Amino acid sequence: MNVHGKHYRTIWLDENNPRQLQIIDQRSLPHRFLIETLHSVDDVIGAIADMHVRGAGLIGTAGGFGVYLACLEAQRKSADLFIESVILDASRLAASRPTAVNLQWAVNRVLDSLKTFIGSPDDFIKTALDTAQAIADEDAEFCRRIGQHGKKLIEDISLKKNGQTVNVLTHCNAGWLAFVDFGTATAPIYAAFEQGIDIHVWVDETRPRNQGASLTAWELGQHGVPYTVVTDNAGGHLMQHGMVDMVITGTDRTTYTGDVANKIGTYLKALAAKDNDIPFYVALPSSTFDWTLRDGIREIPIEQRDGDEVRYIQGLHEGEIKTILLTPIDSRAANYAFDVTPARLISALITERGICSASAEGIFSLYPEKRR
Amino acid sequence: MNVHGKHYRTIWLDENNPRQLQIIDQRSLPHRFLIETLHSVDDVIGAIADMHVRGAGLIGTAGGFGVYLACLEAQRKSADLFIESVILDASRLAASRPTAVNLQWAVNRVLDSLKTFIGSPDDFIKTALDTAQAIADEDAEFCRRIGQHGKKLIEDISLKKNGQTVNVLTHCNAGWLAFVDFGTATAPIYAAFEQGIDIHVWVDETRPRNQGASLTAWELGQHGVPYTVVTDNAGGHLMQHGMVDMVITGTDRTTYTGDVANKIGTYLKALAAKDNDIPFYVALPSSTFDWTLRDGIREIPIEQRDGDEVRYIQGLHEGEIKTILLTPIDSRAANYAFDVTPARLISALITERGICSASAEGIFSLYPEKRR
């Protein structure tokens, strides 16, 4: 999407030197827009581990391109140990964010493309690059399709409201910054905006890491989509008073029955949407389905992160990014990263193949090959 | 309640000079515990307007004591214009927080006590002080009674759990810092704690002004009650997983039908409590009932505050209290201060007269004199 009026993806080959990558260093958003060049596998590992890049789609793609850089490095070191060197680096890449399922998947996909291949290191390198590029393009294309399917839902509301502003509420950042382009929850918003539909987004700030206030607000603002940041507490009041027409969120993991694990607080918004008869949609690429899980609340383990993410917060003070303490210095704080929204609260899922109900029946109707 | 092991109220006459007041300057909590001396009516007006003191009960009591200081000042100025001077200062006091209903009520109560009185300025001054002190004592006594009534609810859960920890979730600060002592939502917690019941409090941080993370956390910690700060997003997850036994909040305004206007986000917690069969209680002195309002969502106007309270946040950085920017610099932010929780989501109200259902029938059974 656009930044300062120019189109960007979140990761790309350096135009001037295709032996290195460029990314947006997301740690300093929304206060600074920094492009970082990654020269080596170690640079990629660092960027993933230290969250210069984040979000399932983007982490996976970075891992894929990382294997390409591993091939370049292996060629420089020794032609004899080429494959051994690549495999070693690939396992280091895959371990840089242990819980990121997409990362292991992408690294393995590039490795697999090399396994069945016989040729010179140059051929290997080209194959690795082509596969990594395919992963990036597929990620963007899946998000684009989610946008096209979801746009129809926004269009319908716009028609019912005779062209009056459609107000969409979203939680966390399931935006293009979490993928290669378009995003998931934001893709229908961008698609509707491009089509000239009058749209406005309520952005939940999304404590404790404030991905809404920092990332979603920034990307919508850069692309020109009208938005307003609200606290996570505000959504219920907005819904009670007719100020929200629909909710769209992303998901980190989805059972085949339609339960959704997403950023902590999503469940509370789904309850409020249900209580006020407002449609609640979840947008996702099918890679987030976990085909083995039936009951999200009982079966999806919820990551507990450091309480300091609740006790401290980061922001801009006199031009510098500073971290301040919010609680008593000796305060305990708990930090559950996700919650599970049961399928009964979800109006529909928006996938790259189309829209379906949040139920085994609905999901298998779009993904019949997954039916056991 | 206790601070550094010593009992405090939030406002008191200076022991060494009963012609001045002392308060806890709440602006620097939880990072610094500062006692401030108020020498004049202007000091009291400043302390109310700039939120050194906040919370319905405390603001009212400060206004009452303010009229006492007005009498002292009037005596120093001129015996002839004594009453005129007191009335002028009283109207300035009442206007220092225009929306605080309790403030006008307390100022008028002290003034009224003077109206029917004939005597010397010294007698007037004594009457004003006695009335202000009565307001303070009544505020503390009403909160103490709320604590005694509410304690039984906690006791029942403790018995059902065979003495295992009772987990209470609360939102915002309806603690002793908002009143003269005990608080409302916290009063049953302190009473249960004093009785030796094993209790733990989940403290919602309560964005945007973080009264939970700063004030409720601080006061519970100082009194020795175990607590854990969580983001406002976390409550639903905690309730889904059996980690909350009951919710208690305060209220700013309550219809005679039992709808409750309280800090923004309260409604979301009430929805989650309902969805998980967890009792949701609201503790209040009867002064927060608005006997004219029937439908809280339609009839209670919700204050919109400056969006900068969402965009910026205050905390401690290297020993100094600093304010940092959280959003893009040009971000719009909306800041609705309260929401309305409909009576259907409230298990019961805890008042100074006892516990009743959140309904006209229940409320009038405790306050029959209000039935029209």
Side-chain angles (χ1 to χ4, degrees):
Chain A
M1 310 312 296
N2 290 347
V3 181
H4 303 318
K6 187 183 155 189
H7 179 260
Y8 283 87
R9 283 184 167 188
T10 50
I11 188 166
W12 62 94
L13 275 193
D14 186 348
E15 272 180 27
N16 302 314
N17 179 357
R19 298 170 72 87
Q20 56 195 28
L21 296 172
Q22 293 193 306
I23 59 165
I24 299 168
D25 182 354
Q26 300 193 14
R27 294 171 306 166
S28 49
L29 292 177
H31 308 299
R32 290 191 201 115
F33 176 61
L34 296 177
I35 291 175
E36 184 181 2
T37 301
L38 306 179
H39 306 272
S40 65
V41 176
D42 283 345
D43 283 356
V44 177
I45 290 171
I48 294 172
D50 300 338
M51 298 181 74
H52 307 210
V53 292
R54 24 72 59 195
L58 174 53
I59 287 174
T61 305
F65 278 120
V67 181
Y68 158 64
L69 293 194
C71 291
L72 290 174
E73 285 180 37
Q75 187 186 37
R76 278 200 295 273
K77 281 189 227 162
S78 146
D80 290 349
L81 297 171
F82 182 85
I83 284 292
E84 288 78 357
S85 173
V86 170
I87 288 173
L88 187 69
D89 278 346
S91 67
R92 290 170 55 227
L93 276 163
S96 58
R97 277 291 289 280
T99 57
V101 179
N102 245 42
L103 176 60
Q104 279 94 61
W105 168 84
V107 165
N108 286 334
R109 180 163 159 191
V110 181
L111 273 189
D112 285 348
S113 75
L114 303 177
K115 269 183 193 160
T116 55
F117 190 88
I118 298 169
S120 70
D122 277 342
D123 296 327
F124 272 91
I125 289 165
K126 185 175 182 310
T127 303
L129 177 57
D130 288 349
T131 312
Q133 193 65 57
I135 291 171
D137 292 344
E138 256 172 43
D139 183 89
E141 173 60 15
F142 275 29
C143 287
R144 193 192 65 77
R145 287 186 204 168
I146 289 167
Q148 291 305 310
H149 296 304
K151 186 190 68 180
K152 289 174 203 140
L153 300 168
I154 299 174
E155 215 170 3
D156 286 349
I157 293 173
S158 176
L159 286 170
K160 269 185 211 152
K161 291 186 78 174
N162 293 317
Q164 279 186 294
T165 309
V166 178
N167 290 293
V168 182
L169 184 139
T170 191
H171 192 70
C172 199
N173 178 257
W176 73 273
L177 289 171
F179 294 87
V180 172
D181 209 350
F182 304 107
T184 53
T186 53
I189 293 167
Y190 288 123
F193 178 75
E194 294 303 330
Q195 196 179 298
I197 292 172
D198 188 349
I199 193 165
H200 165 262
V201 185
W202 295 108
V203 177
D204 276 359
E205 67 171 349
T206 320
R207 288 279 292 142
R209 291 179 62 88
N210 275 31
Q211 294 93 335
S214 53
L215 302 178
T216 305
W218 181 83
E219 64 165 84
L220 290 171
Q222 284 295 330
H223 201 75
V225 180
Y227 74 92
T228 304
V229 173
V230 286
T231 63
D232 303 309
N233 284 324
H237 172 75
L238 298 176
M239 293 185 207
Q240 280 179 328
H241 290 271
M243 292 186 273
V244 178
D245 295 304
M246 67 194 302
V247 182
I248 316 181
T249 76
T251 164
D252 286 80
R253 202 164 169 187
T254 312
T255 66
Y256 71 84
T257 57
D259 292 345
V260 160
N262 191 44
K263 188 63 54 193
I264 189 85
T266 303
Y267 165 54
L268 295 173
K269 292 303 138 63
L271 285 169
K274 188 77 166 184
D275 200 45
N276 293 282
D277 286 324
I278 292 164
F280 185 97
Y281 298 107
V282 177
L284 69 163
S286 54
S287 55
T288 76
F289 282 119
D290 187 324
W291 303 102
T292 68
L293 297 182
R294 182 181 182 78
D295 182 333
I297 293 172
R298 293 165 60 117
E299 295 179 88
I300 298 179
I302 299 298
E303 178 187 0
Q304 269 194 275
R305 297 176 57 86
D306 193 331
D308 277 355
E309 289 186 350
V310 175
R311 297 174 359 103
Y312 293 87
I313 196 167
Q314 178 181 293
L316 197 70
H317 177 78
E318 293 174 1
E320 278 180 60
I321 293 172
K322 296 230 161 99
T323 298
I324 61 174
L325 173 67
L326 299 175
T327 63
I329 183 73
D330 56 356
S331 178
R332 280 184 59 193
N335 185 9
Y336 297 90
F338 305 97
D339 64 19
V340 173
T341 300
R344 66 183 153 85
L345 301 177
I346 299 168
S347 307
L349 304 176
I350 310 170
T351 78
E352 76 276 4
R353 289 198 191 168
I355 294 168
C356 68
S357 71
S359 66
E361 196 185 355
I363 293 165
F364 287 132
S365 74
L366 287 184
Y367 297 89
E369 73 276 18
K370 298 292 183 181
R371 203 187 286 270
R372 279 165 303 187
Chain B
M1 311 312 297
N2 290 347
V3 180
H4 303 317
K6 186 185 156 189
H7 179 261
Y8 283 88
R9 283 184 167 189
T10 51
I11 187 165
W12 62 93
L13 274 196
D14 186 348
E15 275 180 26
N16 302 315
N17 179 356
R19 298 172 70 87
Q20 56 196 28
L21 296 171
Q22 293 194 305
I23 58 165
I24 300 167
D25 181 354
Q26 301 194 15
R27 294 171 307 166
S28 49
L29 291 177
H31 307 300
R32 287 189 203 118
F33 176 61
L34 296 178
I35 291 176
E36 185 180 1
T37 301
L38 306 179
H39 305 272
S40 65
V41 176
D42 282 346
D43 282 356
V44 177
I45 289 171
I48 295 172
D50 301 338
M51 299 179 75
H52 307 212
V53 291
R54 24 71 59 196
L58 174 52
I59 287 175
T61 305
F65 278 120
V67 181
Y68 158 63
L69 293 194
C71 291
L72 290 174
E73 286 181 37
Q75 187 186 34
R76 278 200 295 272
K77 280 189 230 162
S78 145
D80 290 349
L81 296 171
F82 182 85
I83 284 291
E84 289 78 359
S85 173
V86 171
I87 289 173
L88 187 69
D89 278 346
S91 67
R92 291 168 56 226
L93 276 163
S96 57
R97 277 292 289 281
T99 56
V101 178
N102 246 42
L103 176 60
Q104 279 94 60
W105 169 84
V107 166
N108 286 334
R109 180 163 159 191
V110 182
L111 272 190
D112 285 348
S113 75
L114 303 179
K115 269 183 191 161
T116 56
F117 190 87
I118 298 168
S120 70
D122 277 342
D123 296 327
F124 272 91
I125 289 165
K126 185 175 181 312
T127 302
L129 176 56
D130 288 348
T131 312
Q133 194 65 56
I135 291 171
D137 292 344
E138 255 173 44
D139 183 88
E141 174 59 16
F142 276 27
C143 287
R144 193 193 65 78
R145 287 187 205 169
I146 289 168
Q148 292 305 311
H149 296 304
K151 185 189 68 180
K152 291 176 202 137
L153 300 168
I154 299 174
E155 215 169 3
D156 286 350
I157 293 173
S158 175
L159 286 169
K160 270 186 209 150
K161 292 184 81 175
N162 293 316
Q164 279 186 295
T165 309
V166 178
N167 290 293
V168 182
L169 185 138
T170 190
H171 191 70
C172 198
N173 178 258
W176 72 273
L177 289 172
F179 294 87
V180 173
D181 208 350
F182 304 106
T184 53
T186 54
I189 293 167
Y190 288 124
F193 178 75
E194 294 304 329
Q195 195 178 300
I197 292 173
D198 188 349
I199 193 165
H200 165 262
V201 185
W202 295 108
V203 177
D204 276 0
E205 67 170 350
T206 320
R207 288 280 291 143
R209 290 180 64 89
N210 275 33
Q211 293 94 334
S214 53
L215 302 178
T216 306
W218 181 83
E219 63 164 85
L220 291 171
Q222 284 295 330
H223 201 75
V225 180
Y227 74 92
T228 305
V229 172
V230 287
T231 64
D232 303 309
N233 284 323
H237 172 75
L238 298 175
M239 293 186 208
Q240 281 179 327
H241 290 270
M243 291 186 274
V244 178
D245 295 304
M246 68 194 302
V247 182
I248 315 180
T249 75
T251 165
D252 285 80
R253 201 163 169 188
T254 311
T255 66
Y256 70 84
T257 57
D259 293 344
V260 161
N262 190 45
K263 189 63 53 190
I264 190 84
T266 302
Y267 166 54
L268 295 173
K269 293 303 139 62
L271 285 169
K274 188 76 165 183
D275 200 45
N276 293 283
D277 285 323
I278 292 165
F280 185 97
Y281 298 107
V282 176
L284 68 162
S286 54
S287 56
T288 77
F289 282 120
D290 187 325
W291 302 102
T292 68
L293 297 182
R294 183 183 182 78
D295 182 333
I297 293 173
R298 293 165 60 116
E299 296 179 85
I300 299 179
I302 299 298
E303 177 187 1
Q304 269 193 274
R305 297 177 56 86
D306 193 331
D308 277 355
E309 289 186 350
V310 176
R311 299 176 353 106
Y312 293 87
I313 195 167
Q314 178 182 293
L316 197 69
H317 178 78
E318 294 175 359
E320 277 180 60
I321 293 172
K322 294 231 162 99
T323 299
I324 61 174
L325 173 67
L326 298 175
T327 62
I329 182 75
D330 57 355
S331 178
R332 279 184 59 191
N335 185 9
Y336 297 89
F338 306 96
D339 63 19
V340 173
T341 300
R344 66 184 152 88
L345 301 176
I346 299 168
S347 307
L349 303 177
I350 310 170
T351 78
E352 76 276 4
R353 289 198 191 168
I355 295 169
C356 68
S357 70
S359 66
E361 196 186 356
I363 293 166
F364 286 132
S365 75
L366 287 184
Y367 297 90
E369 74 276 19
K370 297 293 183 182
R371 202 188 287 271
R372 280 168 300 189

